[in-house]
Amino acid sequence: MALSMRSTVYILNKVLVVGVLLSYVASVDKSNFKTCDQSGFCKRQRAYKPDQSPYVALLDSVQIEPTKMKVQLLNTQNQVRLLLEVIGLERNMARVKINELNPIKPRYEIPVGDVLIGDPKQDKIEISHKDGGSISLAFQSNKIVLQSKPFRIDFVASEHPVVSLNANGLLKFEHLRLKTVTQEEKKEQAGGFLGGLYSWFSKPFRGDEKQEGENQEGQGAEERPEGQEQAAEEEKEPEAKEPEEPDMWEESFKGHSDSKPNGPTSVGIDISFPGFEQVYGIPEHADSLALRSTKDMDPYRLYNLDVFEYELDSPAALYGAVPVMLAHNEKQTVGVFWQNPSEAWIDISHNLADKSVLSKVVDFVKGGDQIPQVDTHWFFESGIVDIFIMLGPGPADVFKQYAALTGTTPLPPMFALAYHQSRWNYNDEEDVSNVDANFDKHDIPYDVIWLDIEHTDGKRYFTWDKSKFPNPEEMVRNISAKGRKMVTIVDPHIKKDDHYKIYKECRDLGHFIKNKDGNDYDGWCWPGSSSWPDFTKPAIRQYWASKFAVEEYEGSTLDLHTWNDMNEPSVFNGPEITMHKDAKHDGGWEHRDVHNIYGMFVHQATVEGMVARTGGLLRPFVLSRAFFAGSQRWGAVWTGDNTGEWGHLKVSMPMILSLSITGITFSGADVGGFFKNPDSELLTRWYQAAAYQPFFRAHAHLDTRRREPWLLPEENMKVIRQAIRERYALLPYWYTLFYKAEKDGGPVMRPLWVEFPSEKGLFKEEETFMIGDALMVRPVTAAGTQGVNVFFPGGTEQYWYDTDTTERVFGGAAHYVKTPLDKIPTFQRGGSIIPKKERIRRASNLGRHDPYTLVVALDRKGSARGDLYIDDYHTFHYRKGDFIYREFIFKDKVLENKNGNPGSTFTTPSWLEKVIIMGLSTSPSAVTISSPKSASTSLGFTYDSVKMILTIRKPAVNIAEDWTISIQ
Ligand code: NOJ
């Protein structure tokens, strides 16, 4: 979000809230956002350092079911009981849930289907050992050891303890309670109108005295029938009272008060990773890929926020939150996913494991070596403990495990993987048409042009500013006639205007989120005074979805796609520029309980509308700024309002990598930076880097100078054009990777350690990364860089080929690579085959039937493999099997094209234009092609013996047929 002077003035004129907005504009800085110390629950949880955990697992309460163990946990300080459930899940996973045994009302849990794609399939667990102090459970080839006093759980995979819960005794579960009223308050109230009521509300909660099942139906204290008050009054005080702290029942921040009607509700526990030195994930932060120790800073925060000009190297919260952490060492990768959409903070420290404790769990820890351990401490403001433990053992296994829980990114339509041109704003139809024409004039491919908020009638989404966009439908058709698409922005804040249809309908249907007093929640955003539909309610998502029907959204066509922004939600005059936590959602839940998932529901509803408008035929494209675990199922996200500075270009790599390994496959950063005016060099380098990131869009703030590629000096324009063309040439590879990502949840853009898991030296690498398993990229991210040192992984056995020069380098060492302005250091891995399309087109759709080039990079044994996925690039028919999947295998000087989807009748006219074989050490005497259909024919070729490159010209066979090319 950005409040520039211009937009500020605009808003001031429009909404006449001079006081509120002036104070907002004057304070857009770090102090708008809480530090841990300014957040009641963060402060309480972080300060919690008991000598020993007061929680004891009551082993005589154990109930064992085929896939589940239940046991009560007693807090020996306040006598409150919790219920622990340990559930075995298929695919090397387990789930640990901790909730109050008898809460006075239910605590929030995300309905199955919203984040979890279904009830995770459970698997058998068995007690393998039990004594007075511990229980061991066996499941699959793993072991879970529960110790009673103090309570802790250790997960052992392949004989290694890999995850421990409560090893540091930091479980702190703030049970729901009723407010304690002091004697003075009682006296004051006695005789008064409220006196009677206080007799009930002042009763302290005694969790230990309740029977299981009591209040399970959501019968909170407020619902207790009259007449029971007297009895309640007479109950005894509990033995130990909870210490009360001032911000437990009310909190305020910068003049915003949070009424906290439920009091303290936070849940925290420590999660340790013995045997590991690095942990990753928990996006979104503008920080390193390998997470840092938080000893001298605030914990990493997960709270979806609209942060103005965000800081780098910071654990501060940004627009999205994925509570997933991975730990990786040379032998194992494990992960944890805590399913909870309330605000969270996570502390991290790098330590040594306590071997005396771990040796109770497995024998081998008795040796002399020290065992590293990463200790993490997680705390959420409300909800429950619901942790999925993913036991790998490798990175790809963890990705599959997480995908089995929360789903994968559906294959995007091809245009979505191409280049997008955006700006706040393309001003009118003429502007759009000029920008479009300039791409053609300068022979720069592009697929999508974007319209930001100014295209609407006064920020009423689903409408057009008719003076600037009098013929929107025609405009979209003009764009799509060239094989291109358009995206318009649709934000979730709804302008309060009785003449605006969406507002009226939502108000009359009761669709808006309510404030704490039960009235429609009201806040400020781009249109001025606004309300927000309650996307947590399925019926309201359906309502929203229906608005994308072409007949409903005037001026739209099926070639118009959508951008959801400001969906954290951003509320200019709200606490921390977001919604009040005591706002009320469907079912009586507080905004506090659901904050981090709100934006995902907006994304989901929009996608569902876009699918429904085509009767389920066409794949939609929707970009969202806010996200949560599971957002990958709805499409793309981007890293929000970055800045046109080198540091922001550099941080885009670890930011996107962190998203990629936590399921968010399709993400990118605004090319050029949203704020400020990048110089030509920075902008050029940014295009080069982003051409190798999953979502590739240039975007800029309203107040920045125009920076479309042709406005740069000729030299830069040419380099940018080349970078975009490279992206287009590699689209077959990207598309194939996205197809595979939908199947197995693996990231498309991946850290090096994902491909080379046993190379410790790569564990912190974030400047060099992989696209799929075949392409390594090291973008230039600093001004004036003449060259970069690139470490080539895989050991000396591994070959790498520079994609520009075809020069071969050996792995296991660093090499200096010169980086003149036109150089993007990219290297193809020996042993891989990459499909490309080398014809230059104005949009991806125009090249859909173009011929292919196969680039074969031989490994030490002279072999290589690759694949290619092709479908109609835009419908869902591929889900019925209508696609081509070819596997290319090069071995013993024979390249074979094999059918990987034999059942399919899908065909393509595309043929094979060229085969380039890198690393072939002997000059061939002949090259022939043969297929089951035709006899062997000779092919033309050239061989460069210095570079060891064989180029086979015009095999001219269909890319989707079985054939073999043999080199004699
Ligand atoms: C904030 C978004 O992050 C930015 O990309 C957009 O241009 C502005 N809102 C205006 O819609």
Side-chain angles (χ1 to χ4, degrees):
M1 191 284 311
L3 276 186
S4 63
M5 272 326 284
R6 190 163 148 196
S7 45
T8 306
V9 169
Y10 170 80
I11 291 171
L12 286 176
N13 289 339
K14 277 278 191 202
V15 299
L16 304 173
V17 278
V18 180
V20 176
L21 280 171
L22 273 183
S23 72
Y24 169 68
V25 170
S27 58
V28 275
D29 59 28
K30 241 169 105 175
S31 72
N32 268 327
F33 304 103
K34 287 183 186 175
T35 60
C36 180
D37 259 359
Q38 292 166 316
S39 150
F41 83 92
C42 189
K43 206 168 47 178
R44 290 195 298 279
Q45 288 276 0
R46 205 179 198 200
Y48 183 66
K49 292 193 173 70
D51 293 338
Q52 173 174 310
S53 174
Y55 286 95
V56 174
L58 303 175
L59 296 191
D60 52 4
S61 72
V62 165
Q63 283 176 277
I64 189 98
E65 297 172 15
T67 58
K68 195 185 272 188
M69 181 182 74
K70 290 184 184 171
V71 56
Q72 290 181 19
L73 303 179
L74 174 70
N75 182 334
T76 51
Q77 273 169 6
N78 61 11
Q79 306 307 314
V80 172
R81 286 178 194 220
L82 306 176
L83 179 66
L84 163 75
E85 292 175 82
V86 180
I87 305 162
L89 299 180
E90 283 186 355
R91 298 173 170 264
N92 252 359
M93 287 189 281
R95 182 177 190 176
V96 173
K97 286 181 88 168
I98 304 177
N99 197 351
E100 294 180 48
L101 182 63
N102 294 307
I104 56 174
K105 59 183 187 179
R107 300 175 66 110
Y108 185 73
E109 292 183 53
I110 303 172
V112 172
D114 288 345
V115 168
L116 297 178
I117 51 177
D119 261 322
K121 292 213 180 85
Q122 301 190 359
D123 203 14
K124 231 176 40 211
I125 54 170
E126 273 165 3
I127 296 188
S128 56
H129 171 88
K130 185 173 178 192
D131 57 34
S134 73
I135 292 183
S136 297
L137 300 169
F139 85 105
Q140 293 150 47
S141 58
N142 311 299
K143 190 162 91 168
I144 304 174
V145 183
L146 172 104
Q147 293 181 48
S148 160
K149 196 173 175 186
F151 157 67
R152 69 179 271 168
I153 311 181
D154 291 278
F155 293 82
V156 182
S158 319
E159 295 299 309
H160 291 272
V162 283
V163 178
S164 315
L165 300 184
N166 207 35
N168 295 315
L170 300 180
L171 172 60
K172 178 174 167 67
F173 200 113
E174 294 185 326
H175 60 275
L176 295 172
R177 66 200 77 189
L178 298 167
K179 193 171 181 184
T180 312
V181 179
T182 61
Q183 287 308 322
E184 284 90 275
E185 280 168 334
K186 272 187 187 169
K187 271 189 216 140
E188 265 174 41
Q189 297 301 332
F193 171 67
L194 293 174
L197 279 179
Y198 266 104
S199 65
W200 162 242
F201 280 105
S202 61
K203 183 194 80 67
F205 171 61
R206 305 188 64 189
D208 56 319
E209 290 178 4
K210 288 203 165 60
Q211 297 303 309
E212 195 168 357
E214 187 185 353
N215 281 335
Q216 293 290 313
E217 305 305 319
Q219 288 183 6
E222 298 90 328
E223 288 141 33
R224 190 177 278 230
E226 270 177 44
Q228 288 188 14
E229 289 172 11
Q230 190 57 37
E233 176 77 334
E234 284 162 9
E235 284 176 25
K236 280 191 280 168
E237 295 281 319
E239 273 154 35
K241 271 194 187 169
E242 288 292 296
E244 290 277 317
E245 287 178 37
D247 45 18
M248 279 183 162
W249 290 93
E250 191 167 17
E251 222 174 314
S252 69
F253 178 68
K254 293 196 91 175
H256 296 282
S257 99
D258 175 0
S259 63
K260 297 182 76 170
N262 295 316
T265 56
S266 73
V267 290
I269 197 168
D270 56 277
I271 306 177
S272 300
F273 300 93
F276 294 89
E277 286 176 64
Q278 305 301 340
V279 290
Y280 307 88
I282 54 167
E284 184 177 34
H285 303 101
D287 208 357
S288 52
L289 171 65
L291 298 171
R292 293 184 291 146
S293 161
T294 56
K295 268 185 184 143
D296 301 318
M297 60 188 197
D298 257 6
Y300 285 96
R301 187 181 189 198
L302 293 178
Y303 192 51
N304 293 358
L305 290 175
D306 180 358
V307 184
F308 178 87
E309 290 191 348
Y310 55 77
E311 270 204 331
L312 303 184
D313 307 319
S314 162
L318 291 175
Y319 312 90
V322 185
V324 171
M325 183 180 276
L326 270 58
H328 176 74
N329 65 24
E330 293 97 311
K331 295 202 178 79
Q332 267 166 313
T333 314
V334 297
V336 293
F337 162 41
W338 188 328
Q339 190 191 205
N340 186 324
S342 66
E343 178 186 350
W345 300 75
I346 300 154
D347 264 322
I348 295 176
S349 61
H350 298 82
N351 303 307
L352 293 174
D354 183 341
K355 294 209 306 188
S356 64
V357 183
L358 283 186
S359 60
K360 291 187 194 154
V361 178
V362 279
D363 292 337
F364 83 98
V365 289
K366 285 179 184 143
D369 293 346
Q370 300 280 29
I371 298 176
Q373 173 162 305
V374 183
D375 291 305
T376 68
H377 180 199
W378 302 52
F379 22 103
F380 288 80
E381 187 172 11
S382 67
I384 65 163
V385 177
D386 187 7
I387 303 174
F388 292 86
I389 321 279
M390 301 172 281
L391 293 171
D397 303 303
V398 174
F399 301 140
K400 281 192 192 127
Q401 286 156 0
Y402 183 60
L405 298 174
T406 64
T408 61
T409 300
L411 178 62
M414 177 64 102
F415 74 83
L417 299 180
Y419 172 64
H420 300 249
Q421 182 64 42
S422 182
R423 154 162 205 99
W424 177 17
N425 218 87
Y426 288 121
N427 298 326
D428 50 29
E429 289 177 2
E430 196 188 344
D431 199 3
V432 168
S433 145
N434 285 339
V435 171
D436 181 71
N438 263 310
F439 274 98
D440 293 342
K441 184 170 161 206
H442 295 91
D443 261 336
I444 305 172
Y446 98 101
D447 266 49
V448 193
I449 185 156
W450 292 53
L451 294 182
D452 208 321
I453 49 175
E454 313 300 332
H455 82 276
T456 60
D457 171 15
K459 317 298 180 301
R460 293 170 187 84
Y461 304 103
F462 303 101
T463 70
W464 300 85
D465 178 335
K466 282 290 165 69
S467 64
K468 300 176 192 159
F469 296 92
N471 302 303
E473 202 178 317
E474 192 186 319
M475 171 182 66
V476 182
R477 290 199 196 287
N478 288 341
I479 293 293
S480 58
K482 293 188 174 176
R484 295 176 175 144
K485 310 284 175 192
M486 181 172 264
V487 165
T488 49
I489 197 164
V490 178
D491 289 354
H493 44 257
I494 303 300
K495 183 177 173 68
K496 286 183 85 172
D497 168 3
D498 290 341
H499 302 292
Y500 176 30
K501 186 168 165 227
I502 309 266
Y503 174 72
K504 267 189 303 173
E505 287 177 357
C506 285
R507 183 198 55 201
D508 297 346
L509 293 166
H511 280 355
F512 287 126
I513 297 170
K514 306 287 179 271
N515 65 21
K516 67 175 168 37
D517 305 319
N519 300 317
D520 285 351
Y521 182 88
D522 177 320
W524 295 96
C525 207
W526 298 127
S529 181
S530 307
S531 288
W532 280 258
D534 185 358
F535 285 88
T536 65
K537 187 172 175 179
I540 298 177
R541 294 204 289 271
Q542 259 179 31
Y543 161 83
W544 181 262
S546 71
K547 298 293 148 196
F548 290 90
V550 174
E551 331 54 276
E552 282 276 327
Y553 185 171
E554 198 197 320
S556 71
T557 80
L558 296 183
D559 292 305
L560 187 69
H561 294 260
T562 309
W563 173 17
N564 290 149
D565 187 19
M566 315 297 272
N567 53 339
E568 295 72 28
S570 174
V571 180
F572 292 165
N573 59 339
E576 301 192 85
I577 319 183
T578 190
M579 191 163 276
H580 292 75
K581 285 180 168 173
D582 52 11
K584 283 277 173 65
H585 287 264
D586 181 47
W589 299 111
E590 285 189 281
H591 186 68
R592 171 184 347 270
D593 300 314
V594 297
H595 175 84
N596 282 346
I597 203 175
Y598 179 81
M600 183 178 97
F601 283 137
V602 177
H603 199 184
Q604 172 181 353
T606 305
V607 169
E608 286 174 345
M610 306 268 302
V611 173
R613 73 177 183 171
T614 72
L617 178 67
L618 300 180
R619 286 177 248 166
F621 169 74
V622 182
L623 178 75
S624 170
R625 193 170 68 176
F627 54 86
F628 186 64
S631 280
Q632 67 268 19
R633 300 208 300 277
W634 309 114
V637 309
W638 93 108
T639 60
D641 296 348
N642 56 359
T643 302
E645 291 169 354
W646 288 97
H648 278 260
L649 164 59
K650 192 167 176 191
V651 84
S652 69
M653 256 62 75
M655 288 181 81
I656 297 171
L657 289 169
S658 298
L659 288 165
S660 297
I661 58 170
T662 52
I664 312 281
T665 317
F666 196 12
S667 71
D670 284 351
V671 173
F674 178 67
F675 293 114
K676 301 199 176 165
N677 296 305
D679 63 23
S680 310
E681 184 192 2
L682 171 55
L683 190 51
T684 307
R685 291 302 193 187
W686 208 311
Y687 268 99
Q688 292 179 326
Y692 292 91
Q693 295 174 344
F695 175 58
F696 183 20
R697 180 188 76 153
H699 182 56
H701 187 276
L702 190 70
D703 287 344
T704 57
R705 287 197 292 274
R706 286 279 175 132
R707 47 164 111 131
E708 289 70 28
W710 51 89
L711 299 175
L712 272 68
E714 178 84 4
E715 186 200 2
N716 298 81
M717 190 276 283
K718 284 185 175 160
V719 172
I720 290 172
R721 177 167 65 196
Q722 189 47 35
I724 298 177
R725 285 179 176 177
E726 263 308 304
R727 170 64 167 228
Y728 277 70
L730 281 170
L731 281 176
Y733 181 59
W734 281 99
Y735 199 61
T736 304
L737 290 172
F738 268 90
Y739 161 70
K740 292 197 277 192
E742 175 171 7
K743 288 213 311 191
D744 64 16
V748 169
M749 177 170 166
R750 17 188 115 143
L752 287 180
W753 59 259
V754 167
E755 284 301 316
F756 303 94
S758 60
E759 290 188 43
K760 202 171 171 185
L762 304 176
F763 291 177
K764 287 186 163 193
E765 179 55 56
E766 58 182 28
E767 290 194 302
T768 309
F769 56 88
M770 298 291 294
I771 299 300
D773 60 3
L775 208 57
M776 184 170 82
V777 189
R778 183 358 183 142
V780 170
T781 56
T785 303
Q786 304 297 316
V788 288
N789 262 319
V790 180
F791 180 80
F792 290 82
T796 47
E797 292 295 300
Q798 178 70 58
Y799 290 162
W800 292 92
Y801 299 84
D802 185 308
T803 59
D804 295 321
T805 62
T806 69
E807 188 193 340
R808 186 173 74 182
V809 282
F810 293 79
H815 297 276
Y816 182 75
V817 181
K818 285 195 187 140
T819 54
L821 189 63
D822 62 354
K823 175 79 182 171
I824 318 170
T826 40
F827 307 91
Q828 187 171 339
R829 187 177 183 177
S832 68
I833 300 177
I834 292 185
K836 292 177 83 169
K837 280 189 177 177
E838 293 189 318
R839 300 208 173 168
I840 292 158
R841 295 289 189 174
R842 290 174 168 185
S844 67
N845 188 42
L846 305 175
R848 67 190 181 284
H849 298 319
D850 277 357
Y852 288 89
T853 292
L854 293 179
V855 186
V856 181
L858 298 184
D859 65 13
R860 219 171 235 280
K861 294 190 188 123
S863 308
R865 317 178 65 95
D867 50 8
L868 171 65
Y869 171 87
I870 302 171
D871 62 16
D872 62 21
Y873 302 127
H874 66 130
T875 74
F876 281 108
H877 293 328
Y878 74 100
R879 297 224 170 134
K880 296 185 296 186
D882 286 350
F883 63 86
I884 292 162
Y885 181 64
R886 306 300 306 188
E887 288 169 289
F888 305 114
I889 298 152
F890 188 92
K891 206 175 162 219
D892 302 328
K893 295 195 177 172
V894 175
L895 173 63
E896 190 188 355
N897 180 349
K898 278 176 55 173
N899 194 352
N901 186 24
S904 166
T905 53
F906 190 82
T907 57
T908 173
S910 293
W911 50 283
L912 179 65
E913 185 169 46
K914 204 195 287 175
V915 179
I916 298 169
I917 301 178
M918 302 190 289
L920 192 73
S921 50
T922 50
S923 175
S925 55
V927 177
T928 55
I929 182 160
S930 60
S931 76
K933 278 193 198 159
S934 59
S936 159
T937 0
S938 293
L939 296 175
F941 66 91
T942 53
Y943 180 71
D944 181 332
S945 58
V946 177
K947 290 186 164 178
M948 294 192 297
I949 304 291
L950 172 69
T951 306
I952 305 169
R953 299 204 183 279
K954 290 228 169 76
V957 276
N958 189 289
I959 194 72
E961 285 174 8
D962 297 349
W963 41 253
T964 48
I965 293 177
S966 310
I967 299 161
Q968 281 90 40

